[in-house]
Amino acid sequence: MLPIRAVLVDDEPEHEAIIVAALELASIVTHVVRTANDALAEVPRVEPEIILLGNLTNIAPVLMLRALRERTTLPVIALLVDARSVDRIAILDAGADDALARTSNPAEIAARVRSTVRRARGLTQGERLVLAIGSVTIDVETRSVHLGDIEMSLTTSEFLALRALAHSHGRPLSRDQLLHALHGAADDAFDRSIDVVISRLRAKLGPEAARLKTIRGVGYMLGV
């Protein structure tokens, strides 16, 4: 698995250092910030794959998460001071991808990060990492796509949609299924129209655009 880039939002240096040390040992490059706004500012610069929501004095975790969710759909793991079931349920309902006590074994925190990012990348143990449809090849792990010998320039949303369609090659996906596949794409946080993403993909696929079919009343399919 490729190295992971993460942003940790935390204002408790002593405990933060323990978490960062464990993450670095697990090849998770971690950028520490002190506020949710700082985290959002880091996203375009660092291009993280995940945000860890730690301790911020006098700010409820759910409020912090809502502030983040207004601006990004990157995976978020909440590290809670109080990990009672009611707090975990509240933060998960608010949109966190996972939640555990900030006093958890640092190795477990690192494992949860790897697992969450693996799901966001679309990777599972033993998965075929390169998909080929006609002259289009999709490298799932590096997130690179080639049309023949030419590397395509795709936004995150375009890549995630194309990857989902390639995994379901020959079987249609509904718009809801494709929207679910786009979870984690920050570039289209305010324009989640699948039709727009598909239109852009068709324009970029050139001679292979005919493979991307509209299935009336269902959604879209990447066909033969």
Side-chain angles (χ1 to χ4, degrees):
M1 190 172 181
L2 290 175
I4 295 168
R5 295 179 303 280
V7 167
L8 169 63
V9 191
D10 201 290
D11 64 4
E12 189 178 311
E14 183 177 348
H15 197 269
E16 157 222 308
I18 297 172
I19 296 173
V20 170
L23 296 176
E24 297 285 349
L25 282 174
S27 297
I28 301 166
V29 180
T30 309
H31 300 263
V32 181
V33 297
R34 301 304 181 198
T35 70
N37 285 336
D38 288 343
L40 289 167
E42 286 291 273
V43 167
R45 187 183 73 81
V46 176
E47 296 186 343
E49 294 183 87
I50 192 167
I51 295 174
L52 300 177
L53 196 54
N55 182 67
L56 290 182
T57 306
N58 299 324
I59 303 177
V62 169
L63 294 179
M64 288 190 289
L65 179 60
R66 286 173 180 164
L68 289 170
R69 280 289 173 246
E70 288 177 357
R71 298 282 301 280
T72 182
T73 55
L74 282 170
V76 175
I77 293 180
L79 304 177
L80 302 173
V81 174
D82 189 345
R84 294 176 302 177
S85 61
V86 62
D87 297 297
R88 293 187 73 254
I89 291 170
I91 200 79
L92 291 170
D93 282 345
D97 295 85
D98 200 355
L100 65 163
R102 60 185 285 103
T103 54
S104 298
N105 186 324
E108 180 184 356
I109 295 175
R112 298 283 191 103
V113 170
R114 289 196 302 270
S115 176
T116 301
V117 170
R118 191 162 54 241
R119 289 196 303 271
R121 288 178 177 178
L123 299 175
T124 56
Q125 295 298 328
E127 180 183 11
R128 182 163 56 104
L129 299 183
V130 178
L131 305 170
I133 309 294
S135 61
V136 179
T137 56
I138 305 165
D139 190 313
V140 175
E141 189 167 5
T142 64
R143 292 196 172 202
S144 60
V145 180
H146 284 77
L147 180 60
D149 295 327
I150 301 172
E151 184 169 3
M152 297 173 63
S153 177
L154 301 182
T155 67
T156 301
S157 291
E158 291 162 2
F159 173 82
L160 293 175
L162 182 62
R163 184 185 69 189
L165 289 162
H167 274 301
S168 185
H169 183 216
R171 292 177 288 113
L173 293 178
S174 69
R175 285 175 173 80
D176 284 345
Q177 287 173 314
L178 285 167
L179 279 172
H180 180 73
L182 261 61
H183 179 70
D187 54 282
D188 282 296
F190 300 105
D191 180 8
R192 301 300 298 277
S193 169
I194 283 298
D195 298 324
V196 172
V197 174
I198 294 298
S199 177
R200 294 197 307 245
L201 266 178
R202 282 197 174 114
K204 294 181 178 182
L205 284 170
E208 296 288 359
R211 295 181 185 274
L212 187 43
K213 305 177 187 296
T214 301
I215 310 300
R216 188 178 300 276
V218 180
Y220 296 99
M221 180 181 75
L222 198 58
V224 295

